[in-house]
Amino acid sequence: MTESIMARLADADELRESGARKMDWARQHMPILESIRADFERDQPFAGETIGMAMHVEAKTAILAETLAAGGAEVAITGCNPLSTHDDVSVALDAIDGVTSYAERGVDDEAYYDAMHAVLAHEPSITVDDGMDLVALVHEDYPELIETIVGGAEETTTGVHRLRAMDADGALEYPIFAVNDTPMKRLFDNVHGTGESSLASIAMTTNLSWAGKNLVVAGFGHCGKGVARKASGQNADVIVTEVEPRRALEAHMEGYDVMPMDEAAAIGDVFLTTTGNRDVIGEEHFEQMDDGVLLANAGHFDIEIDLDALSDLAVDTYEARDGVQAYELDDGRRLNVLAEGRLVNLATPIALGHPVEVMDQSFGVQAMAVLELVENGDDYDAGVHDLPDALDKEVAEIKLAAEGVEFDDLTDDQTEYMDSWQHGT
């Protein structure tokens, strides 16, 4: 079995101290998980459970893993993206009682999957995934584990899409909560988190301004909406490309320019994909782009920008800046790809992911999903499930209480009115 991260790195002690500082900073700004952790420490709901996780291993994720371990679980974790792990955080996490971390930044495909195999060697009873790679590996290589897996939770849009396709094919053999689809995840993580962190990572990596630039946002789902909104606030001119007519109309009605990528390719300065689909930007688009454009992806996998086609077109490629690869075409134009086409808010050298407060909300929902599986897992058949809405609301209530924000309650008469069909004009 692959060794844990602490056993693999020579400077583990030094990294551990750095990672612990990052975790401490995140912990100070995550009141939801602080509240949930206090309950978990008292009640020990996960005693005897093993939780296998494949996520972006950085400081906020580490607080989630720490919280689950505080509830009595054995936690084994690895990365869900070869470039999103912070090695110092992975080492600090590995040092926590009840947690084993296999995540390491910059590994090749073989090592990436070796680490997932190592997680599954712990024989988890619950899976927590970001992108569904761990769930897929369970079904492909460890079907014997399915009988003892209570259920799972999926963090991101791409993972939920994959799971729903798997479910539709009758191939998903244990229940999984679509954490991504809860209001607390969609409204804050996807909109504010993706919007703020993607734009900040691009700006810091390139040292360029958004003001006056034509930003082409591919896809107007929750993530695309967040990017468009935040970029407009920084004085960029936003262009949206879409394949779904209602979302294209929504973008138009919100004041953005909407056009096919074939047209946008000729006028964009920065291109940011948020679709979860493949080959959104391809050879026909590269051929129209201006010299110096930036190409970045905020979808889960590195397939939205067709880098194979771009490599075939290029006569030279070189590192223009740390985290920026320039592809020079035969006519002298240079097209610049950030983070190797992977998640730009997590995979650039200086990327920090979503803001801490945003991930506190998302990971609060994850913790509730795991608790629901442990307490009521037998109530759910194999397949993709929505998390009970009351649990999502509970996370919001914890956050409002931490912020000192009060809100109204319905009176009994109002509740009766809203639940009745008998009240007319």
Side-chain angles (χ1 to χ4, degrees):
M1 184 174 73
T2 298
E3 292 182 302
S4 72
I5 183 70
M6 194 178 293
R8 297 201 304 269
L9 299 181
D11 55 348
D13 289 339
E14 182 180 344
L15 287 171
R16 176 181 174 182
E17 182 178 345
S18 170
R21 284 198 306 270
K22 290 181 180 179
M23 288 176 63
D24 185 57
W25 176 261
R27 197 182 293 112
Q28 293 176 50
H29 300 278
M30 300 181 82
I32 297 171
L33 283 184
E34 180 183 20
S35 175
I36 291 172
R37 175 177 176 153
D39 292 340
F40 286 178
E41 287 180 328
R42 181 188 65 242
D43 300 335
Q44 293 293 291
F46 309 135
E49 303 290 345
T50 300
I51 301 174
M53 303 176 69
M55 306 191 80
H56 301 291
V57 180
E58 44 82 50
K60 286 92 70 179
T61 310
I63 303 306
L64 172 61
E66 177 186 65
T67 299
L68 297 174
E74 176 195 346
V75 177
I77 187 170
T78 189
C80 64
N81 182 304
L83 294 179
S84 65
T85 292
H86 291 200
D87 284 347
D88 55 351
V89 172
S90 183
V91 170
L93 190 53
D94 194 46
I96 292 173
D97 287 343
V99 181
T100 305
S101 179
Y102 299 98
E104 184 176 358
R105 183 183 177 89
V107 295
D108 59 21
D109 284 351
E110 182 179 0
Y112 174 79
Y113 282 105
D114 281 349
M116 288 203 177
H117 285 289
V119 167
L120 294 178
H122 288 254
E123 299 184 355
S125 52
I126 293 169
T127 61
V128 178
D129 218 343
D130 190 319
M132 207 205 90
D133 279 350
L134 193 66
V135 174
L137 196 60
V138 168
H139 285 75
E140 291 167 4
D141 291 356
Y142 298 87
E144 70 278 5
L145 293 181
I146 292 171
E147 185 176 342
T148 55
I149 290 178
V150 177
E154 170 55 50
E155 171 76 9
T156 197
T157 307
T158 297
V160 171
H161 284 169
R162 295 179 73 195
L163 285 166
R164 292 197 187 281
M166 191 176 182
D167 193 10
D169 286 344
L172 181 57
E173 296 190 39
Y174 63 87
I176 297 183
F177 284 125
V179 169
N180 178 79
D181 292 358
T182 69
M184 283 294 288
K185 174 67 164 61
R186 291 196 313 265
L187 297 176
F188 303 103
D189 184 304
N190 293 355
V191 175
H192 295 282
T194 302
E196 292 180 18
S197 63
S198 297
L199 297 177
S201 186
I202 292 170
M204 289 189 294
T205 300
T206 63
N207 196 31
L208 298 175
S209 171
W210 287 108
K213 286 205 172 48
N214 290 331
L215 169 63
V216 178
V217 181
F220 203 66
H222 291 288
C223 294
K225 291 173 188 174
V227 169
R229 183 187 304 173
K230 303 293 183 178
S232 292
Q234 296 185 62
N235 300 316
D237 294 317
V238 176
I239 299 162
V240 172
T241 70
E242 248 300 344
V243 297
E244 210 287 327
R246 291 160 297 187
R247 289 203 296 231
L249 180 58
E250 183 181 10
H252 171 69
M253 295 292 283
E254 290 193 12
Y256 304 116
D257 291 328
V258 180
M259 63 185 70
M261 184 64 76
D262 283 346
E263 295 180 23
I267 59 177
D269 300 308
V270 184
F271 296 80
L272 184 57
T273 57
T274 68
T275 72
N277 210 336
R278 66 173 306 119
D279 303 333
V280 177
I281 301 176
E283 179 177 354
E284 67 274 23
H285 307 125
F286 300 138
E287 291 173 343
Q288 300 182 61
M289 291 178 178
D290 286 337
D291 178 37
V293 301
L294 305 178
L295 299 166
N297 170 45
H300 188 79
F301 295 117
D302 58 342
I303 58 171
E304 302 205 24
I305 302 167
D306 188 350
L307 295 180
D308 289 338
L310 184 55
S311 295
D312 289 343
L313 288 174
V315 296
D316 189 21
T317 180
Y318 57 90
E319 188 176 53
R321 282 178 63 88
D322 197 12
V324 180
Q325 193 72 11
Y327 291 77
E328 185 172 340
L329 308 186
D330 58 5
D331 59 5
R333 287 179 297 129
R334 294 152 297 180
L335 311 185
N336 299 293
V337 176
L338 277 67
E340 301 177 17
R342 295 191 179 276
L343 273 168
V344 72
N345 61 328
L346 281 158
T348 61
I350 58 173
L352 296 174
H354 288 359
V356 179
E357 301 93 336
V358 168
M359 292 314 301
D360 186 33
Q361 297 175 177
S362 295
F363 288 156
V365 177
Q366 280 281 16
M368 289 298 201
V370 174
L371 182 63
E372 175 69 6
L373 287 169
V374 169
E375 292 184 339
N376 301 303
D378 290 343
D379 294 343
Y380 299 92
D381 295 327
V384 180
H385 297 270
D386 293 331
L387 188 70
D389 195 52
L391 298 179
D392 200 53
K393 288 181 180 178
E394 185 176 344
V395 174
E397 290 168 357
I398 294 171
K399 175 68 171 180
L400 289 169
E403 297 284 334
V405 177
E406 297 182 358
F407 60 102
D408 283 327
D409 292 318
L410 292 174
T411 66
D412 290 343
D413 286 344
Q414 288 173 328
T415 299
E416 189 275 331
Y417 180 85
M418 295 300 292
D419 291 341
S420 173
W421 55 268
Q422 295 171 322
H423 297 288
T425 302

